[in-house]
Amino acid sequence: MPGRVENVGYDIAGTTLSGLLARPEAGVRPRGLILAIHGGGSRAAYWHRDGAPDGSLLLLGAALGWTVLAIDRPGYGASAGLDRARQGLDAQADALFALIEESTAGALDAAPDPGQAPAAGADPDPAATVEPVEPAEPARPPVFVVAHSMGAVLALRMGADKRGHDLLGLAVAGVPLRYTPARLAEFAAVPTDGDFVPSTGGAAPDAFFGPPGSYDPALLTRAGRVVAPVPMAEFVDVRESPNTLPDVLVRVTPAVHWTVAEFERSHPSGPEVPALARESLRRARAVETYTQRGVGHNISLHHAARAYHLRVLAFAEECLLAVAGPTAR
């Protein structure tokens, strides 16, 4: 697949946000910017892993003409250890809106992330892979957000904010609209006085993955997993999401592609969940729900990741057509 993935960093309000960036081939005008937002306890590499190019959203998106930026959310990557007051989802939304505003205006230069190894296919020297972000065209490119789990809760908050009205669309997966009583009891037992959620050694694989054979078993080893400590402030926010999301969903205005994993076990995901999402997203320009077969909660870490990413990118293309109007069809 053409293209390469670069390690990048952006200075946003005095904090460095690290991430991974893929752009179309030289001479190809990007169709828009895809901002990929990882879930809790992960990093930008959730969307692009070494040794799994077929499952990379970044390589696929760039091959289809998009600029794809997978960002380490505030509190992860280069900004790990961020002050707790800036870890919550509202503060994260402010940071990502600032990132969108400045990056699409061409006002930021990319800088290397010193703490991250080169991405697959990149130059071995991280500093050598980083180039200045090219100035955008006078008309700002459309921005489509792809987000997972805790990151999806954040993306929906962005879509409900007046600053998110002009987003091209949202593709969310792993959204916890409901928790089981056992899950709520588990959350309630977590002490919240620290900066990070204490590690318990990890949940059983079937909580976040589909059946054996649907994913690379190396992901369950320390070397193969895409993991990072979960900032406490965002954990508290997401723990309350079944109570806060109903008000958020009714205010979302961009088009929404909502995916449920066939083997979702980290929270209830029966047919009533997408039905409730469709009912609640009454102000969204369009709503599409889908159950992705052959995956558990961490959809993009399964062998079916490419199928999922193709559906997401097809929805983004449909959003472009809707913006262009009937004359473009």
Side-chain angles (χ1 to χ4, degrees):
M1 208 175 292
R4 64 173 184 172
V5 175
E6 307 168 46
N7 297 283
V8 293
Y10 299 95
D11 182 8
I12 302 295
T15 298
T16 299
L17 298 184
S18 50
L20 301 172
L21 178 71
R23 292 183 273 199
E25 291 180 342
V28 175
R29 182 175 180 178
R31 305 183 67 72
L33 170 68
I34 291 177
L35 178 64
I37 307 176
H38 64 82
S42 184
R43 280 191 65 180
Y46 173 82
W47 305 103
H48 174 84
R49 293 182 293 111
D50 291 350
D54 285 348
S56 170
L57 173 66
L58 281 82
L59 291 177
L60 180 62
L64 295 177
W66 295 82
T67 296
V68 188
L69 172 60
I71 200 70
D72 287 324
R73 291 191 286 111
Y76 290 86
S79 65
L82 189 66
D83 183 83
R84 182 165 175 167
R86 301 173 65 188
Q87 291 178 1
L89 294 184
D90 286 340
Q92 290 191 35
D94 289 341
L96 294 192
F97 277 126
L99 173 67
I100 291 171
E101 179 72 18
E102 297 193 37
S103 61
T104 56
L108 287 180
D109 285 339
D113 169 12
Q116 182 172 315
D123 191 288
D125 177 7
T129 70
V130 178
E131 302 172 359
V133 174
E134 297 174 1
E137 296 292 328
R140 293 190 177 181
V143 178
F144 186 86
V145 177
V146 183
H148 176 251
S149 197
M150 287 190 186
V153 176
L154 169 60
L156 289 166
R157 289 192 180 204
M158 293 174 69
D161 190 290
K162 62 182 181 181
R163 294 170 292 180
H165 178 75
D166 292 331
L167 291 172
L168 183 62
L170 310 174
V172 297
V175 180
L177 281 180
R178 297 284 185 268
Y179 289 129
T180 63
R183 191 74 162 162
L184 289 172
E186 176 186 328
F187 285 163
V190 174
T192 58
D193 52 344
D195 290 331
F196 295 95
V197 176
S199 174
T200 59
D206 63 3
F208 298 106
F209 289 90
S214 66
Y215 60 92
D216 181 356
L219 289 166
L220 304 182
T221 69
R222 182 171 296 276
R225 295 170 63 196
V226 182
V227 294
V230 178
M232 184 59 70
E234 78 169 35
F235 166 78
V236 172
D237 282 345
V238 175
R239 184 180 61 183
E240 297 300 317
S241 62
N243 299 322
T244 58
L245 273 174
D247 178 62
V248 169
L249 295 181
V250 298
R251 294 185 287 112
V252 171
T253 54
V256 178
H257 184 281
W258 185 295
T259 301
V260 175
E262 179 183 11
F263 300 105
E264 177 65 76
R265 297 187 182 95
S266 69
H267 56 259
S269 60
E272 70 280 0
V273 171
L276 178 58
R278 290 191 297 269
E279 177 186 345
S280 300
L281 291 164
R282 57 182 70 111
R283 292 185 60 196
R285 291 189 285 270
V287 179
E288 182 176 290
T289 58
Y290 183 77
T291 298
Q292 178 61 55
R293 297 187 298 275
V295 298
H297 179 75
N298 289 332
I299 298 177
S300 295
L301 299 183
H302 287 73
H303 297 317
R306 181 178 173 85
Y308 167 61
H309 296 156
L310 282 167
R311 286 191 172 87
V312 164
L313 290 167
F315 187 78
E317 291 289 337
E318 291 173 351
C319 290
L320 278 179
L321 284 174
V323 169
T327 58
R329 298 174 188 173

